[in-house]
Amino acid sequence: MANGDEERREHLTVTCKTNHDEGIREKCNKRGENEHEMLLLRVLKSLGLLRPPNDDADDEMGDENEQCSSSRTCSCSQTSCCRHATNSITITHNPRHAQADWNDMHDLLINSSPSCRRVVANISCGKNGIYYPINLAICNEVTPVPPRVLDLLIDADPTLLTNASFELACSNLELKLQVFEVILSHKSELLTLGSLRKIAFYDNVKLAEFIIHRYPYILPKNCEEWSIIYGNSIQTFWLSAMYRCGSEYVCENHVQKINLLHYMTSQSNLGAVELIVSHNPRALSIARHGRLPLHVALSNYKGRVYGWNADLVQLLLREGQKHSVGGVEKYGGFGGLFVPDHEGNTPLELAIDQIRNLSFLSKDVLYGERWNCLLQCIHFAYKVLGGDNNDCIFLKALATIPFAPDIIDYVMEKYPLDNIVGLTKNSKGQHCMEIVIDAMTKESPIQDIAKKSNVMQQQMFKNLLGQCYQGGGKHLARIRDSVGRLPLVHAVTAGLGWKSGVCEILNCYPRALEEMDPTSGLYLFMVAASCGRHGSAGSSGGDLNGSFELLRQYPVVEVFSRVFN
């Protein structure tokens, strides 16, 4: 009996003790919840995320305001943004335009223990991807966070400072530069070439100049690093900022050393090319692997995927002419258009090859950027040669690319009305036959290219004198020039070789052999023997082959009878 009483007494003692402990635990839990709620409310108030529920101000972030429920009925986790506030509090979802009380946040952090600071830093009280006080403070544009407050927040838990935090800082144009010093002092690894893209994306000029002066080691130093901050607008942004700040990585010697102009040209980056040329025009004459920047602009540079840019070609030609790219003698004035590369190809020939090398030529190509680039070259060369800009593109092409009959075919396909009945003349009164003959015989870079292939020259005259063009045909061989010469007479007196087109002109109008040169009074075979330009015998012997063929086409007896009578 005594044993039973003792057991009951012991059971009651344990039960009372357990109930007492649970009561204490419940009170502690309630007190902990209240303390956490009060801490959350103070953090929200300091960040400016609380406002009265009757405030009907519009939310500029586009989200609806969220009415908080009672903490006693809240069933969400600690990471949920707003369930721990009372019914009398509304949380705004526009942290960028919050009216923060940074003095209160500073007092809270400075007067708290390290563990309490960590709790404050880890309170999740935001929305739309911006949760923690560090990021909420960084994104505030109306009341930018002071560096001292941000320093305390980061120091409380540095792991919360991430790439997203740095991007938020880059997007906030109201932040003081000292804030970035605080961020980078805690995590310098956040500053990379990739992060430079973020600064440019948000057009943060102030921050870019700060980075250039304080952290120059991160700037792109070669073309490979420039490719990391890809995007024409991004590269142009940084190039412009580096020029304004006088960075050593855009000085004349460095730009030429890394061939930055060639690289930006290969990217079709017009803005960057303009900047480089305006600050360092000598780069236009720098040849990389035997190629000028103009070669790069008009060629399939390493199989680039960037679009062709006619405005870029125009800029390089104009500035190249201004700065005498190619010298002031033979190629002077053409802006480098006729400067051969290490393979002997000029930029003009490369532009033509980009049309020729296409597996098919559709009308889309004739209206595309490759075609526009070639047209820029034709217009520019024709203007340098003294031609009138109002002349039709067909005559301009004949004067500048007579060695490319296939391309001129495309010109006529696109502009079929430019050579109506073959009577179209340029501003100097020359028709198409005169223009081609002069282009092939007058001393110029164009003549140098034309002389590379007699086959192309013959094809050019075959096309002109054939039925390839509207209004073309044999009658073109009968049209006289301003001094009364037929095309055959003009060709022979100008020194055009037999295999370069004289044969084709003669076949179209053999009676032209009866004509004499109005200037010298000589027959054509005599003129051919004395011209000494394109003959196989050289300049001293004249065109013996042409003289022989012309003489063979016309009976010797009849010729001499006319001479002596």
Side-chain angles (χ1 to χ4, degrees):
M1 190 70 180
N3 291 335
D5 292 339
E6 291 178 2
E7 288 178 358
R8 283 195 295 272
R9 201 177 300 114
E10 183 178 353
H11 175 71
L12 291 172
T13 303
V14 171
T15 302
C16 292
K17 184 178 181 181
T18 301
N19 292 337
H20 177 72
D21 291 344
E22 288 179 353
I24 294 174
R25 190 180 299 111
E26 183 179 355
K27 289 181 180 180
C28 290
N29 288 339
K30 289 181 179 179
R31 184 170 57 186
E33 289 178 2
N34 292 333
E35 289 178 355
H36 178 77
E37 181 179 335
M38 296 304 296
L39 183 61
L40 172 62
L41 292 176
R42 185 172 179 183
V43 171
L44 290 173
K45 181 181 177 182
S46 300
L47 292 171
L49 298 181
L50 299 183
R51 65 188 182 195
N54 295 328
D55 188 355
D56 296 329
D58 294 335
D59 193 337
E60 298 180 20
M61 297 292 288
D63 290 328
E64 296 180 357
N65 291 335
E66 194 167 318
Q67 185 72 25
C68 296
S69 59
S70 172
S71 62
R72 295 186 182 273
T73 60
C74 176
S75 61
C76 66
S77 64
Q78 182 177 344
T79 57
S80 183
C81 65
C82 61
R83 298 297 192 217
H84 298 284
T86 63
N87 284 327
S88 62
I89 297 297
T90 301
I91 298 178
T92 177
H93 298 302
N94 186 9
R96 294 183 182 276
H97 298 88
Q99 292 286 345
D101 185 354
W102 297 120
N103 289 329
D104 185 51
M105 175 63 77
H106 180 267
D107 293 341
L108 173 62
L109 294 171
I110 204 70
N111 296 321
S112 302
S113 64
S115 59
C116 184
R117 291 180 193 174
R118 184 177 180 85
V119 171
V120 171
N122 280 272
I123 288 178
S124 181
C125 51
K127 201 173 182 181
N128 299 326
I130 309 175
Y131 299 114
Y132 299 105
I134 289 177
N135 290 348
L136 291 166
I138 288 175
C139 74
N140 194 310
E141 297 174 358
V142 174
T143 51
V145 60
R148 58 190 176 91
V149 175
L150 185 62
D151 188 34
L152 290 172
L153 281 171
I154 297 174
D155 191 56
D157 190 351
T159 61
L160 297 176
L161 185 64
T162 63
N163 286 322
S165 306
F166 189 78
E167 183 168 357
L168 284 173
C170 293
S171 66
N172 189 351
L173 304 184
E174 303 301 324
L175 282 181
K176 295 180 179 180
L177 295 176
Q178 289 84 349
V179 169
F180 291 94
E181 284 190 290
V182 169
I183 293 174
L184 295 175
S185 66
H186 283 274
K187 280 193 177 181
S188 59
E189 61 270 23
L190 292 177
L191 186 59
T192 64
L193 284 171
S195 63
L196 298 187
R197 299 193 73 254
K198 299 174 184 177
I199 296 173
F201 178 80
Y202 293 107
D203 198 27
N204 199 331
V205 177
K206 179 177 66 174
L207 176 57
E209 294 177 352
F210 171 74
I211 296 295
I212 292 170
H213 288 301
R214 294 295 298 272
Y215 306 94
Y217 65 87
I218 201 61
L219 299 175
K221 307 169 189 61
N222 51 56
C223 295
E224 183 179 357
E225 293 183 355
W226 275 105
S227 67
I228 296 176
I229 56 172
Y230 57 90
N232 286 358
S233 60
I234 302 294
Q235 292 173 340
T236 302
F237 172 90
W238 277 104
L239 194 63
S240 177
M242 290 166 73
Y243 271 121
R244 285 197 308 273
C245 296
S247 171
E248 61 177 313
Y249 299 122
V250 290
C251 69
E252 183 173 352
N253 291 337
H254 189 78
V255 167
Q256 295 179 9
K257 178 182 178 181
I258 66 173
N259 295 298
L260 187 58
L261 182 56
H262 287 76
Y263 170 76
M264 292 301 180
T265 301
S266 72
Q267 306 302 298
S268 295
N269 193 335
L270 179 61
V273 170
E274 285 180 327
L275 282 170
I276 296 173
V277 170
S278 63
H279 289 86
N280 185 13
R282 289 178 56 188
L284 289 165
S285 300
I286 302 299
R288 181 174 184 246
H289 303 309
R291 287 190 161 193
L292 298 171
L294 187 59
H295 285 98
V296 175
L298 294 169
S299 64
N300 192 19
Y301 183 73
K302 292 185 179 179
R304 67 182 181 187
V305 296
Y306 296 92
W308 301 80
N309 194 324
D311 293 333
L312 175 60
V313 172
Q314 183 184 41
L315 170 68
L316 291 174
L317 287 170
R318 183 180 67 248
E319 294 298 321
Q321 181 187 41
K322 179 180 177 181
H323 298 285
S324 302
V325 174
V328 295
E329 298 178 357
K330 190 170 187 178
Y331 304 115
F334 287 97
L337 189 60
F338 294 101
V339 176
D341 62 9
H342 62 291
E343 295 178 348
N345 297 317
T346 67
L348 180 58
E349 291 175 284
L350 292 174
I352 292 172
D353 287 341
Q354 292 307 310
I355 304 298
R356 282 179 178 160
N357 292 341
L358 295 173
S359 58
F360 63 93
L361 188 66
S362 64
K363 289 187 177 180
D364 293 337
V365 175
L366 292 182
Y367 290 86
E369 280 300 303
R370 293 193 189 197
W371 184 257
N372 292 335
C373 288
L374 177 58
L375 291 183
Q376 284 290 350
C377 297
I378 292 174
H379 288 303
F380 181 81
Y382 190 73
K383 183 178 179 180
V384 174
L385 292 171
D388 192 323
N389 192 48
N390 294 323
D391 291 341
C392 67
I393 185 60
F394 175 67
L395 297 182
K396 290 180 179 180
L398 290 177
T400 55
I401 55 171
F403 48 84
D406 51 340
I407 303 301
I408 294 179
D409 285 345
Y410 301 147
V411 174
M412 276 308 301
E413 181 181 339
K414 186 173 181 180
Y415 307 98
L417 300 179
D418 272 1
N419 191 35
I420 299 177
V421 200
L423 298 179
T424 303
K425 296 184 178 181
N426 62 16
S427 57
K428 298 178 182 178
Q430 295 176 308
H431 58 77
C432 58
M433 289 294 290
E434 288 183 84
I435 293 171
V436 173
I437 292 170
D438 286 347
M440 291 184 175
T441 56
K442 287 187 176 180
E443 189 72 23
S444 72
I446 296 172
Q447 182 202 39
D448 293 344
I449 300 176
K451 283 171 22 178
K452 291 180 180 180
S453 174
N454 286 330
V455 175
M456 284 296 186
Q457 293 179 345
Q458 289 175 341
Q459 188 62 44
M460 182 73 258
F461 286 103
K462 284 180 181 179
N463 289 356
L464 277 177
L465 297 168
Q467 299 298 326
C468 297
Y469 305 139
Q470 176 182 348
K474 295 183 179 180
H475 75 281
L476 291 177
R478 300 181 176 90
I479 300 177
R480 298 179 182 273
D481 62 14
S482 57
V483 295
R485 295 178 298 185
L486 291 170
L488 181 61
V489 181
H490 185 187
V492 173
T493 55
L496 191 68
W498 175 260
K499 294 182 178 181
S500 299
V502 170
C503 177
E504 282 67 30
I505 301 174
L506 177 62
N507 290 337
C508 283
Y509 190 48
R511 290 183 63 87
L513 281 172
E514 300 176 7
E515 293 277 343
M516 297 177 63
D517 178 14
T519 304
S520 63
L522 299 175
Y523 282 96
L524 294 184
F525 77 92
M526 299 177 183
V527 174
S530 61
C531 69
R533 290 192 182 183
H534 300 287
S536 57
S539 59
S540 60
D543 188 359
L544 297 181
N545 184 53
S547 302
F548 173 75
E549 292 294 340
L550 288 171
L551 183 59
R552 190 165 65 87
Q553 295 288 333
Y554 201 84
V556 178
V557 176
E558 186 174 351
V559 172
F560 277 96
S561 65
R562 288 179 175 233
V563 172
F564 288 106
N565 290 332

